[in-house]
């Protein structure tokens, strides 16, 4: 098997080799670095020179042949050192037999080099693993939309994410299997992912093209992955007790509105979906990670198989950093990018959230269509949040007593 490094890859990989390769083998790398720098200078010169010559028509373009010949001579004169570099570099790349696969997935050379320098004995490529995060963080898209879109495309490939998300259990479990079990809801990776989405879809774009559709639907898988992470916590038996255990000594917010997670059938005149169980409330971690919990203390997810309330009112990861215009553009106005199975359910039963304005369908009306036990939908949510806060305080006291 051969693995050919192009000029850009040589440039990207050299700093990693120079830093991590054994000192006794660094001499040929330093020599190769000089050669490559000369190649780069010549390449830049040619790129700058061609347009000028064409525009001014001073000399025919073939007059560049002497410069090209000189560049070739420069390389030929140093071929022994260059071959030595390439030989060692390619051997190093093929040590684990993974690099060609990474290149095929779309990982740039800088990320491939990060893979090679990982300290893990058995590097994992699962999304969120230490090795994956090293590769992800090494890839600087430099605020360029095209670069960010490429990076998101690689992420989707790593997850084997389909063009259209379904509720099939085997498909969902297959997708979840591509996440590291160590990827927590407050991992910095989630903020990094959100920033890449913001770069890939600058204003006024929304998540409506083919890539945007997948990125929008990805949020539902992320929310399910995050609730599954919480459910693996060692303390507690219910979702809300396990969440409380995870949130100890962590920052979270209950202040954001959950109006859009209180949908009822028949445009508000029908019933709440089964599984609503008296209300939903929203909890956020760093704004991005969202948990919707019903009155019974159970997580509500759009990919829940047997929970209509989850499908209708469940959690979705936020790509914005706060509740602003970016949030509206990237997290609210997704239109036809929603999975077909959810769109059909919402349309068939005309599920609709309460309105911000006053009237019978208002979020703040105590006697309107969305009222619950004499409380408005908003007041009911606030009550559930207060109950959760009290539970958290009780849990903190319990932990202090238990540790004495």
């Amino acid at each position: 098997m051969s693995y050919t490094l192009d000029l850009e890859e040589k440039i990207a990989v050299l700093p990693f080799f120079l830093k991590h390769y054994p000192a006794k083998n660094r001499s040929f790398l330093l020599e190769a670095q000089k050669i490559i720098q000369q190649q780069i200078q010549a390449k830049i010169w040619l790129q700058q020179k061609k347009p000028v010559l064409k525009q001014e028509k001073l000399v025919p373009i073939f007059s560049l042949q002497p410069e090209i010949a000189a560049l070739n001579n420069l390389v030929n004169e140093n071929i022994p050192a260059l071959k030595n570099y390439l030989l060692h570099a390619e051997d190093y790349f093929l040590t684990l037999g993974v690099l060609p696969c990474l290149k095929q997935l779309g990982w740039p050379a800088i990320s491939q080099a990060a893979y090679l320098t990982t300290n893990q004995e058995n590097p994992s490529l699962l999304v969120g693993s230490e090795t994956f995060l090293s590769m992800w963080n090494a890839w600087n898209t430099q605020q360029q939309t095209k670069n960010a879109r490429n990076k998101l495309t690689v992420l989707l490939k790593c997850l084997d994410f389909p063009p259209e998300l379904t509720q099939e259990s085997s498909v969902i479990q297959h997708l979840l299997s591509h996440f590291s079990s160590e990827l927590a809801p407050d991992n910095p990776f989630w903020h990094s992912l959100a920033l890449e989405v913001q770069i890939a879809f600058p204003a006024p774009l929304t998540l409506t093209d083919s890539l945007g559709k997948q990125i929008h639907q990805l949020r539902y898988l992320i929310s399910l992955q995050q609730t599954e992470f919480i459910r693996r916590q060692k303390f507690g038996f219910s979702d809300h007790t396990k969440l409380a255990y995870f949130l100890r000594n962590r920052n979270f917010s209950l202040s954001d509105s959950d109006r859009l997670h209180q949908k009822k059938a028949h445009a508000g005149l029908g019933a709440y979906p089964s599984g609503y169980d008296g209300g939903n409330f929203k909890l956020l971690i760093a704004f991005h990670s969202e948990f919707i919990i019903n009155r019974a203390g159970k997580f509500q997810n759009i990919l829940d198989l047997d929970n209509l309330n989850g499908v209708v009112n469940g959690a979705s990861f936020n790509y914005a950093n706060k509740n602003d215009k970016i949030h509206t553009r990237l997290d609210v106005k997704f239109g036809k990018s929603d999975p077909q199975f959810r769109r059909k359910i919402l349309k068939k039963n005309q599920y609709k959230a309460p309105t911000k304005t006053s009237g019978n369908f208002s979020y703040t009306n105590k006697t309107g269509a969305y009222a619950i036990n004499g409380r408005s939908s908003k007041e009911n949510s606030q009550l559930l949040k207060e109950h959760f806060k009290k539970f958290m305080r009780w849990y903190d006291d319990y932990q202090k007593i238990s540790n004495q």
Side-chain angles (χ1 to χ4, degrees):
M1 182 185 295
S2 63
Y3 186 86
T4 304
L5 299 171
D6 59 28
L7 181 58
E8 284 71 22
E9 287 176 315
K10 297 175 199 171
I11 299 166
V13 171
L14 265 174
F16 279 88
F17 280 120
L18 289 170
K19 181 178 180 181
H20 296 280
Y21 225 64
K24 63 180 181 180
N25 295 324
R26 287 174 53 129
S27 58
F28 72 86
L29 288 174
L30 292 170
E31 184 64 29
Q33 187 177 39
K34 294 178 183 177
I35 299 169
I36 292 171
Q37 286 173 345
Q38 290 171 328
Q39 285 181 284
I40 295 168
Q41 291 171 358
K43 185 176 180 181
I44 292 173
W45 186 89
L46 290 174
Q47 289 174 341
Q48 292 174 342
K49 199 78 172 177
K50 281 183 180 180
V52 174
L53 293 176
K54 283 183 179 180
Q55 182 179 358
E56 298 183 5
K57 298 181 180 179
L58 296 176
V59 290
I61 192 67
F62 60 77
S63 67
L64 288 177
Q65 290 305 318
E67 282 75 17
I68 295 174
L71 172 60
N72 289 333
N73 290 335
L74 173 66
V75 175
N76 290 333
E77 289 172 5
N78 294 278
I79 263 184
L82 188 59
K83 278 187 174 180
N84 195 25
Y85 160 65
L86 291 175
L87 177 64
H88 285 75
E90 289 178 18
D91 285 347
Y92 196 15
F93 260 76
L94 292 171
T95 300
L96 300 173
V98 176
L99 272 298
C101 176
L102 295 182
K103 186 175 183 180
Q104 186 176 8
L105 283 171
W107 287 104
I110 195 75
S111 295
Q112 296 171 40
Y115 173 87
L116 291 172
T117 56
T118 179
N119 293 322
Q120 299 292 298
E121 282 189 22
N122 299 302
S124 167
L125 295 178
L126 293 177
V127 173
S129 67
E130 182 176 334
T131 303
F132 175 91
L133 293 177
S134 295
M135 295 165 61
W136 176 272
N137 294 331
W139 188 351
N140 184 354
T141 56
Q142 300 178 332
Q143 300 291 314
Q144 298 296 314
T145 295
K146 181 180 179 181
N147 295 342
R149 289 176 69 91
N150 288 340
K151 193 172 183 179
L152 295 177
T153 299
V154 170
L155 172 63
L156 293 172
K157 287 181 180 179
C158 290
L159 292 170
D160 197 18
F161 201 86
E164 176 75 25
L165 198 57
T166 72
Q167 269 192 310
E168 292 182 36
S169 178
S170 59
V171 173
I172 294 171
Q173 292 306 312
H174 172 71
L175 292 170
L176 288 175
S177 71
H178 291 82
F179 285 102
S180 167
S181 61
E182 303 301 316
L183 183 57
D186 61 344
N187 191 293
F189 166 71
W190 299 120
H191 181 63
S192 174
L193 170 60
L195 291 180
E196 295 298 343
V197 173
Q198 293 172 32
I199 296 169
F201 295 89
L205 296 181
T206 55
L207 303 182
T208 51
D209 64 11
S210 57
L211 177 61
K213 179 179 179 180
Q214 287 182 292
I215 293 299
H216 161 64
Q217 295 185 12
L218 173 62
R219 72 175 83 239
Y220 299 151
L221 180 67
I222 292 173
S223 289
L224 184 60
Q225 182 273 336
Q226 293 183 340
T227 57
E228 291 299 309
F229 180 93
I230 298 298
R231 285 169 174 160
R232 291 195 297 271
Q233 298 296 297
K234 63 182 181 180
F235 180 87
F237 296 97
S238 62
D239 289 346
H240 80 286
T241 56
K242 287 180 176 292
L243 181 61
Y245 176 78
F246 174 77
L247 291 174
R248 68 197 191 285
N249 303 319
R250 283 181 166 90
N251 294 323
F252 63 93
S253 172
L254 290 166
S255 61
D256 290 83
S257 172
D258 41 35
R259 179 181 63 86
L260 296 178
H261 300 275
Q262 317 293 344
K263 298 181 184 73
K264 287 181 67 176
H266 304 304
L269 294 175
Y272 283 105
S274 58
Y276 189 76
D277 291 343
N280 293 328
F281 71 96
K282 178 166 71 176
L283 182 148
L284 297 178
I285 299 175
F287 192 78
H288 302 301
S289 298
E290 178 178 279
F291 295 87
I292 302 299
I293 306 131
N294 70 2
R295 189 182 184 91
K298 184 179 179 181
F299 293 138
Q300 304 299 301
N301 287 295
I302 287 167
L303 295 181
D304 281 339
L305 298 179
D306 302 314
N307 187 353
L308 186 57
N309 182 50
V311 176
V312 174
N313 289 314
S316 59
F317 183 83
N318 293 315
Y319 293 123
N321 301 332
K322 58 184 178 180
N323 195 353
D324 56 8
K325 291 181 179 180
I326 296 177
H327 178 55
T328 301
R329 180 168 56 83
L330 295 180
D331 300 326
V332 179
K333 293 185 176 181
F334 44 79
K336 295 182 179 180
S337 292
D338 227 18
Q340 289 185 17
F341 74 84
R342 185 169 188 254
R343 289 168 56 195
K344 288 179 180 178
I345 291 174
L346 294 178
K347 183 178 180 180
K348 179 180 178 181
N349 298 282
Q350 294 182 291
Y351 280 105
K352 188 176 181 181
T355 64
K356 292 181 180 180
T357 58
S358 61
N360 186 48
F361 299 98
S362 172
Y363 185 41
T364 58
N365 192 324
K366 297 182 179 182
T367 59
Y370 290 87
I372 300 175
N373 298 326
R375 293 184 295 271
S376 69
S377 178
K378 182 177 181 179
E379 288 174 331
N380 191 64
S381 167
Q382 289 299 121
L383 180 64
L384 297 178
K385 290 177 180 179
E386 289 300 321
H387 285 172
F388 187 77
K389 289 178 184 178
K390 289 181 181 179
F391 178 79
M392 286 293 295
R393 287 194 290 270
W394 170 86
Y395 180 79
D396 287 341
D397 292 340
Y398 171 79
Q399 285 290 307
K400 291 176 183 177
I401 296 172
S402 300
N403 294 330
Q404 288 179 355

